[in-house]
PDB file of all heavy atoms in Angstrom:
ATOM      1  N   PRO A 204     -15.357 -20.259   4.176  1.00 95.00           N
ATOM      2  CA  PRO A 204     -16.394 -21.248   4.520  1.00 95.00           C
ATOM      3  C   PRO A 204     -15.859 -22.444   5.306  1.00 95.00           C
ATOM      4  O   PRO A 204     -16.562 -23.008   6.150  1.00 95.00           O
ATOM      5  CB  PRO A 204     -16.925 -21.690   3.152  1.00 95.00           C
ATOM      6  CG  PRO A 204     -16.665 -20.527   2.249  1.00 95.00           C
ATOM      7  CD  PRO A 204     -15.398 -19.904   2.743  1.00 95.00           C
ATOM      8  N   LEU A 205     -14.623 -22.851   5.050  1.00 97.00           N
ATOM      9  CA  LEU A 205     -14.046 -23.955   5.825  1.00 97.00           C
ATOM     10  C   LEU A 205     -13.987 -23.616   7.306  1.00 97.00           C
ATOM     11  O   LEU A 205     -14.200 -24.480   8.164  1.00 97.00           O
ATOM     12  CB  LEU A 205     -12.630 -24.266   5.319  1.00 97.00           C
ATOM     13  CG  LEU A 205     -12.514 -24.988   3.975  1.00 97.00           C
ATOM     14  CD1 LEU A 205     -11.067 -24.970   3.503  1.00 97.00           C
ATOM     15  CD2 LEU A 205     -13.021 -26.428   4.071  1.00 97.00           C
ATOM     16  N   PHE A 206     -13.686 -22.356   7.605  1.00 96.00           N
ATOM     17  CA  PHE A 206     -13.610 -21.929   9.000  1.00 96.00           C
ATOM     18  C   PHE A 206     -15.000 -21.798   9.597  1.00 96.00           C
ATOM     19  O   PHE A 206     -15.263 -22.280  10.705  1.00 96.00           O
ATOM     20  CB  PHE A 206     -12.864 -20.594   9.092  1.00 96.00           C
ATOM     21  CG  PHE A 206     -12.675 -20.090  10.493  1.00 96.00           C
ATOM     22  CD1 PHE A 206     -11.578 -20.476  11.241  1.00 96.00           C
ATOM     23  CD2 PHE A 206     -13.600 -19.231  11.074  1.00 96.00           C
ATOM     24  CE1 PHE A 206     -11.405 -20.025  12.543  1.00 96.00           C
ATOM     25  CE2 PHE A 206     -13.439 -18.778  12.377  1.00 96.00           C
ATOM     26  CZ  PHE A 206     -12.332 -19.173  13.112  1.00 96.00           C
ATOM     27  N   THR A 207     -15.900 -21.160   8.878  1.00 95.00           N
ATOM     28  CA  THR A 207     -17.222 -20.892   9.438  1.00 95.00           C
ATOM     29  C   THR A 207     -18.033 -22.173   9.660  1.00 95.00           C
ATOM     30  O   THR A 207     -18.915 -22.208  10.519  1.00 95.00           O
ATOM     31  CB  THR A 207     -18.017 -19.930   8.540  1.00 95.00           C
ATOM     32  OG1 THR A 207     -18.119 -20.475   7.209  1.00 95.00           O
ATOM     33  CG2 THR A 207     -17.327 -18.571   8.468  1.00 95.00           C
ATOM     34  N   ARG A 208     -17.727 -23.244   8.913  1.00 95.00           N
ATOM     35  CA  ARG A 208     -18.441 -24.509   9.141  1.00 95.00           C
ATOM     36  C   ARG A 208     -17.660 -25.464  10.033  1.00 95.00           C
ATOM     37  O   ARG A 208     -18.060 -26.613  10.222  1.00 95.00           O
ATOM     38  CB  ARG A 208     -18.816 -25.174   7.819  1.00 95.00           C
ATOM     39  CG  ARG A 208     -17.700 -25.760   6.997  1.00 95.00           C
ATOM     40  CD  ARG A 208     -18.238 -26.326   5.680  1.00 95.00           C
ATOM     41  NE  ARG A 208     -17.226 -26.921   4.844  1.00 95.00           N
ATOM     42  CZ  ARG A 208     -16.890 -28.213   4.865  1.00 95.00           C
ATOM     43  NH1 ARG A 208     -17.501 -29.034   5.689  1.00 95.00           N
ATOM     44  NH2 ARG A 208     -15.959 -28.681   4.058  1.00 95.00           N
ATOM     45  N   GLY A 209     -16.535 -24.993  10.600  1.00 96.00           N
ATOM     46  CA  GLY A 209     -15.835 -25.764  11.613  1.00 96.00           C
ATOM     47  C   GLY A 209     -14.830 -26.778  11.111  1.00 96.00           C
ATOM     48  O   GLY A 209     -14.330 -27.583  11.885  1.00 96.00           O
ATOM     49  N   ALA A 210     -14.519 -26.746   9.806  1.00 97.00           N
ATOM     50  CA  ALA A 210     -13.582 -27.733   9.262  1.00 97.00           C
ATOM     51  C   ALA A 210     -12.131 -27.414   9.612  1.00 97.00           C
ATOM     52  O   ALA A 210     -11.270 -28.310   9.561  1.00 97.00           O
ATOM     53  CB  ALA A 210     -13.742 -27.833   7.748  1.00 97.00           C
ATOM     54  N   ILE A 211     -11.844 -26.161   9.950  1.00 97.00           N
ATOM     55  CA  ILE A 211     -10.480 -25.773  10.308  1.00 97.00           C
ATOM     56  C   ILE A 211     -10.508 -24.842  11.512  1.00 97.00           C
ATOM     57  O   ILE A 211     -11.485 -24.133  11.754  1.00 97.00           O
ATOM     58  CB  ILE A 211      -9.733 -25.066   9.146  1.00 97.00           C
ATOM     59  CG1 ILE A 211     -10.544 -23.860   8.632  1.00 97.00           C
ATOM     60  CG2 ILE A 211      -9.432 -26.044   8.016  1.00 97.00           C
ATOM     61  CD1 ILE A 211      -9.823 -23.004   7.612  1.00 97.00           C
ATOM     62  N   GLU A 212      -9.407 -24.853  12.261  1.00 97.00           N
ATOM     63  CA  GLU A 212      -9.160 -23.914  13.346  1.00 97.00           C
ATOM     64  C   GLU A 212      -7.728 -23.422  13.223  1.00 97.00           C
ATOM     65  O   GLU A 212      -6.854 -24.150  12.738  1.00 97.00           O
ATOM     66  CB  GLU A 212      -9.337 -24.591  14.716  1.00 97.00           C
ATOM     67  CG  GLU A 212     -10.771 -24.754  15.155  1.00 97.00           C
ATOM     68  CD  GLU A 212     -11.374 -23.484  15.717  1.00 97.00           C
ATOM     69  OE1 GLU A 212     -10.618 -22.529  15.994  1.00 97.00           O
ATOM     70  OE2 GLU A 212     -12.604 -23.456  15.880  1.00 97.00           O
ATOM     71  N   VAL A 213      -7.473 -22.209  13.660  1.00 96.00           N
ATOM     72  CA  VAL A 213      -6.106 -21.696  13.698  1.00 96.00           C
ATOM     73  C   VAL A 213      -5.417 -22.268  14.933  1.00 96.00           C
ATOM     74  O   VAL A 213      -5.911 -22.126  16.051  1.00 96.00           O
ATOM     75  CB  VAL A 213      -6.089 -20.155  13.740  1.00 96.00           C
ATOM     76  CG1 VAL A 213      -4.674 -19.631  13.910  1.00 96.00           C
ATOM     77  CG2 VAL A 213      -6.733 -19.582  12.475  1.00 96.00           C
ATOM     78  N   GLN A 214      -4.279 -22.935  14.728  1.00 97.00           N
ATOM     79  CA  GLN A 214      -3.538 -23.526  15.847  1.00 97.00           C
ATOM     80  C   GLN A 214      -2.124 -23.857  15.394  1.00 97.00           C
ATOM     81  O   GLN A 214      -1.923 -24.542  14.387  1.00 97.00           O
ATOM     82  CB  GLN A 214      -4.234 -24.800  16.361  1.00 97.00           C
ATOM     83  CG  GLN A 214      -3.623 -25.360  17.636  1.00 97.00           C
ATOM     84  CD  GLN A 214      -4.381 -26.563  18.168  1.00 97.00           C
ATOM     85  OE1 GLN A 214      -5.198 -27.170  17.473  1.00 97.00           O
ATOM     86  NE2 GLN A 214      -4.148 -26.908  19.419  1.00 97.00           N
ATOM     87  N   ASP A 215      -1.131 -23.374  16.137  1.00 96.00           N
ATOM     88  CA  ASP A 215       0.258 -23.648  15.811  1.00 96.00           C
ATOM     89  C   ASP A 215       0.515 -25.160  15.812  1.00 96.00           C
ATOM     90  O   ASP A 215      -0.060 -25.913  16.612  1.00 96.00           O
ATOM     91  CB  ASP A 215       1.175 -22.970  16.837  1.00 96.00           C
ATOM     92  CG  ASP A 215       2.640 -23.236  16.560  1.00 96.00           C
ATOM     93  OD1 ASP A 215       3.174 -22.611  15.622  1.00 96.00           O
ATOM     94  OD2 ASP A 215       3.239 -24.069  17.257  1.00 96.00           O
TER      95      ASP A 215
END
Side-chain angles (χ1 to χ4, degrees):
L205 286 169
F206 183 88
T207 57
R208 71 183 181 92
I211 54 173
E212 281 281 347
V213 175
Q214 188 176 15
D215 179 76

